[in-house]
Amino acid sequence: MPGRLQHKSAVITGAGSGIGLESSLLFAQEGANLILVDVNLPNAEKAASLISERFPNVKAIPFKADVSKESEVEAAIALAVKEFGRLDIMFNNAGIMHPEDDNALNTEERIWDLTMDINLKGVWWGCKHAILAMRKNPTDESKGLRVGGSIINTASFVAIMGAATPQLAYTASKGAVLAMTRELAMVHAREGIRLNSLCPGPLKTPLLMDFLNTDEKKQRRLVHLPMGRFGEAVELANAALFLASDESSYITGTDFKVDGGLSSAYVTAL
Ligand code: NAD
């Protein structure tokens, strides 16, 4: 059985942990060659070793880059093109939730700027350099390889719902990811480049669990979750795989919610 991403090449940011790690494993299982970008190189290297053990038919190259730096993102994409001859999938997934991010009164400007630089500007750099590369993709219809590609930008459910436990810079950065992705999807639709946002609900990954470090904080959220549980990173990886593959070929500009029903809830079952 050919994999769902057979012959494709992908760059995944934040590949060393959480959604990025699970997506790296799943994309490799489905046949994609990968550049595993993370600011934490040892974690990207661990992801690459796992892939080479489990899926020896694909290539996964760890690459240290801070997504807020344009030259580093550009270098990661250039490496994909050099190694694999093309870029089909760009998963702009790296993001931070800073512990000092708070409400409008308490959030310091440096926290705002850092969050925007990584969560929003980092996604812009990824889109910019992926679009430039995808325009040049060589075609091979027998393998389903075309000009263009799929860009997936990780936003969040907080981009579409208000939370009374504020993280202002994070929320604003994710709202901007949704708006930017929609507009880019329209601008590049006729080039065969699809852009979609992924909107995870609250997940059991280090990003959120480091922050929800007491039972009280966890319960404050769990009561609002229709399924009564946090999501798993692999549940987001499955959604990212769909958006990355040709199965989603008529989907662009969408806010793809994978939130266990959270954003549809008024009251939840007991
Ligand atoms: P995670 O903390 O488990 O993983 C994030 C990865 O990004 C880490 O490996 C980290 O080293 C890397 N990273 C951080 N800053 C970087 C930078 N400047 N350059 C390159 N890499 C960097 O987090 P996760 O839960 O897997 O989150 C992934 C994405 O999902 C983020 O954009 C996050 O905002 C979003 N998200 C998460 C949740 C949740 O509940 N976990 C909910 C909604 C949205």
Side-chain angles (χ1 to χ4, degrees), residues 13-20 37-40 43 65-68 92-97 118-119 154-157 170 174 198-208 233:
T13 71
S17 173
I19 299 172
V37 173
D38 209 294
V39 74
N40 182 331
N43 279 357
D66 175 347
V67 295
S68 68
N92 291 305
N93 164 73
I96 60 157
M97 188 191 265
I118 296 171
N119 290 9
T154 307
S156 169
F157 68 101
Y170 183 84
K174 296 299 187 178
L198 191 60
C199 289
L203 306 179
K204 261 197 241 156
T205 67
L207 180 121
L208 188 64

Side-chain angles (χ1 to χ4, degrees), residues 4-270:
R4 290 158 74 188
L5 302 181
Q6 201 75 37
H7 308 301
K8 293 191 191 289
S9 128
V11 172
I12 300 179
T13 71
S17 173
I19 299 172
L21 174 61
E22 292 297 336
S23 301
S24 300
L25 293 167
L26 195 56
F27 285 22
Q29 181 187 305
E30 294 298 332
N33 290 312
L34 302 168
I35 304 296
L36 306 175
V37 173
D38 209 294
V39 74
N40 182 331
L41 185 61
N43 279 357
E45 286 171 340
K46 273 185 222 153
S49 315
L50 278 178
I51 289 172
S52 70
E53 274 165 34
R54 294 186 197 173
F55 314 110
N57 295 341
V58 302
K59 226 171 155 187
I61 304 172
F63 188 84
K64 182 178 164 68
D66 175 347
V67 295
S68 68
K69 307 275 188 305
E70 181 176 11
S71 60
E72 298 183 19
V73 175
E74 188 178 8
I77 291 168
L79 182 63
V81 174
K82 179 170 159 271
E83 289 289 328
F84 312 132
R86 56 188 303 109
L87 178 71
D88 300 286
I89 300 152
M90 180 77 207
F91 189 11
N92 291 305
N93 164 73
I96 60 157
M97 188 191 265
H98 200 285
E100 291 170 51
D101 192 0
D102 200 333
N103 60 26
L105 310 182
N106 297 335
T107 303
E108 291 176 27
E109 189 178 359
R110 69 185 171 86
I111 303 299
W112 175 276
D113 289 344
L114 177 68
T115 304
M116 289 294 169
D117 281 353
I118 296 171
N119 290 9
L120 178 57
K121 208 195 269 182
V123 174
W124 171 31
W125 298 140
C127 291
K128 175 179 171 181
H129 291 285
I131 288 163
L132 290 168
M134 287 172 176
R135 280 179 171 169
K136 294 186 196 146
N137 274 344
T139 56
D140 182 345
E141 284 302 329
S142 68
K143 293 181 175 164
L145 298 175
R146 302 177 187 96
V147 174
S150 171
I151 300 177
I152 304 152
N153 297 331
T154 307
S156 169
F157 68 101
V158 298
I160 43 180
M161 306 174 73
T165 47
Q167 291 164 299
L168 196 71
Y170 183 84
T171 299
S173 72
K174 296 299 187 178
V177 167
L178 287 191
M180 182 172 75
T181 306
R182 261 184 233 126
E183 184 155 298
L184 289 174
M186 297 308 106
V187 172
H188 299 285
R190 294 195 181 196
E191 297 182 77
I193 301 174
R194 298 186 295 111
L195 290 106
N196 292 293
S197 297
L198 191 60
C199 289
L203 306 179
K204 261 197 241 156
T205 67
L207 180 121
L208 188 64
M209 291 303 122
D210 289 351
F211 177 71
L212 302 185
N213 52 3
T214 65
D215 197 47
E216 191 194 347
K217 283 190 192 169
K218 286 194 183 73
Q219 289 308 326
R220 177 87 167 91
R221 274 90 181 160
L222 280 170
V223 68
H224 296 290
L225 292 172
M227 292 186 176
R229 66 170 176 89
F230 294 109
E232 301 288 345
V234 71
E235 294 177 304
L236 272 295
N238 276 311
L241 170 62
F242 171 66
L243 292 175
S245 76
D246 293 339
E247 291 157 26
S248 59
S249 53
Y250 202 51
I251 299 179
T252 196
T254 195
D255 307 340
F256 199 85
K257 293 183 285 177
V258 184
D259 66 356
L262 174 61
S263 58
S264 300
Y266 173 34
V267 283
T268 60
L270 289 172

